[in-house]
Structures are given as structure tokens and as C-alpha cells.
Amino acid sequence: MGRGDLTDDEWARIAPYLPKSGRRGGRWNDHRTVINGILFRVRTGIPWRDLPERFGSWKTVYERHRRWSANGTWDRILQAVLADAGAEGRIDWSMVSVDSTSCRADQHAAGAPRRAPRIPKRKSLPRQHRPDEGLGRSRGGLTCKIHLAGEGGCRPLAPGQWGDSPQMIPVLERIRVKRPRGGHPRTRPNHLGGDKAYSSRRNRRYLRRRQIKHTIPEPRDQQANRRRRGSRGGRPAGFDKEMYKRRNEVERTINRLKQSRAVATRYDKRAYVFHGTITLASIRLWCLPDRYRTEQ
């Protein structure tokens, strides 16, 4: 077993949820070897063609990652791993925070074909396809955004892309952890934390409607606007300083994700492939034993 490869315990967590081999169209190459190759590339950020020979053909490894990013296989595996973690009581629902981060996009991430991609052997678009490929230009060059909700144990519950305040609601609606005894999946944390970027009447109204307690500071311009409107401005938003101190957990979650170089710097041209890279890095964090959570 090479450095960074899946351990036996980690493999046992994801093996039951992988696509079955031997279906029409030929047999899959060994899943464990291919996934170790994908993880090697996610961890190191090297070009696909430079993968070590012990992982087999680089094109096989790349095509497996692209296919599973397009058809939602990585998303389904993450949901299954989250369900197992919820059944084991490993999810800290006491405080879930939302935040986003910018990732530098390598020059090779630009230049994707203008034609829309298709799922192999299907005519539908990939689930996470974006016409703009999720790239933007800043002073430093091309960048992209990662937006996620992280639980108290510094692991992501709903990783994804897009910006800040307008995307808080879509991020929260992606939290769906199945219950071990059936019934509706859990979608609501006990408490939600966020910075000033998430302070808007729309977001607070949504959280109140879903009965989610939250700690989001109110910017000074919003405070002044509320006071200027008098009684029509409504009551001040509640703020718990002690709970807000725990918002660093989502920042630590982002730092753990960015330990994977292919996440910290985007090399993928297609947005849906980069989404699969983020999702796979999240799966790996959930497969790690809990003792790693306290050491890092």
C-alpha cells in the first residue's frame, strides 16, 4: 500500500456503495486501484498523464473520475457515507456553519470547449454542469469559489461551488442525511453560524421559517438602515458571541479540504469534474478515523 492509499478500514466504508462490476459493456478495472490513483492525483495535483504506473493506465483513472463526476456517483457515495456517520453518531449537529473560499485556477483550467458536455453513453448534461464553468477573473487571475456547510467535527456536509449570501439557502437544502431506521432524512442543524456576508432579510426569514437557530452578525449599514426605518425596521437580530466563536470550525474544514492540492488550486477545465474532485476529498475526510479530527 502506497502513501495516501485507502486503508482497509477506509475501503470497507465505501466499497458497498461503488458501482457493480461485470455489467454490459465490459468489466471495470479494480475499483480500489483506480480510486487510489484518483486520490493520488487529488492529493498531489499532478497532471493525469503523470500518474505512477502502479495505478494502471492514466486514461482509465481519468475517465472513471470524469464519468462518476458526471453521473453523480461521487455525490451518492458521499450521501451513503454521511448516512453511516449519522447512524454511528459521528456528526456534530450542535453547530453547522457555512462559508466560502476562493481557489486559484491554473491556466490549464481555462479553455474548455464551448459545446455542452454529455454524460458518457447518455444524452443528458452532467448534474453539476455550468455554462460559465464556474470561473471568474480577479486581480490575481482566474479563480473559482467553493461554498460548503461544515459540521462541528470539521468535516463538510454539503460541499459545492458558487458565491456567498445568495447561495446559503441552496447549500443548506443540499444537507440530507438519511436516518438508519428510515423516515425523512435529517436536513436541519441545531444551530447555524455564518459571517456578515450571510446577513440578509431573505436568509433570516428562511431560517426562521425552518425554525433553525442562527448566529449571524448584522453589518453596520443594515443596523443603520433598520434604525432609520424606526418601528418598521423590525427588532435587532439576536447574536450569541459564544456560539459565534465556533465559526472557526468551518474555516478549519476548508483548510482540511485545501490540503488536497487539486482542491486548493483548480486544474480541471470542467466545473462538474472539479465538483467531483471536491466531493471525493470530502469523502476521504469522512473515511478518516475520528482521532485525525482532533490531531489536525
Side-chain angles (χ1 to χ4, degrees), residues 54-176:
R54 66 187 179 92
F55 299 119
S57 170
W58 70 267
K59 191 170 182 60
T60 298
V61 179
Y62 165 72
E63 287 294 337
R64 189 80 54 89
H65 179 56
R66 183 178 69 87
R67 181 188 298 268
W68 287 1
S69 299
N71 61 22
T73 297
W74 291 131
D75 292 322
R76 289 191 292 270
I77 294 174
L78 177 60
Q79 292 302 316
V81 171
L82 285 174
D84 291 343
E88 298 169 1
R90 299 173 59 220
I91 300 179
D92 185 357
W93 292 100
S94 62
M95 179 68 164
V96 170
S97 301
V98 290
D99 202 0
S100 66
T101 183
S102 296
C103 297
R104 180 67 183 269
D106 189 80
Q107 60 180 347
H108 298 96
R114 293 182 179 274
R115 63 180 183 275
R118 300 292 179 181
I119 297 179
K121 299 183 180 181
R122 299 183 186 179
K123 296 183 179 180
S124 57
L125 291 172
R127 292 189 177 186
Q128 302 295 333
H129 170 64
R130 294 182 53 180
D132 61 354
E133 299 300 344
L135 290 175
R137 189 172 293 278
S138 64
R139 292 183 180 180
L142 291 175
T143 59
C144 62
K145 297 281 282 189
I146 296 177
H147 198 159
L148 57 85
E151 51 98 41
C154 300
R155 290 171 293 197
L157 288 173
Q161 300 179 75
W162 302 90
D164 285 338
S165 179
Q167 295 303 316
M168 189 199 78
I169 296 176
V171 167
L172 291 181
E173 290 181 346
R174 288 204 303 269
I175 300 178
R176 299 182 64 85

Side-chain angles (χ1 to χ4, degrees), residues 9-20 31 77 80-81 84:
D9 292 338
E10 293 171 349
W11 173 249
R13 287 186 178 275
I14 67 173
Y17 312 114
L18 297 175
K20 304 300 180 183
H31 279 324
I77 294 174
V81 171
D84 291 343

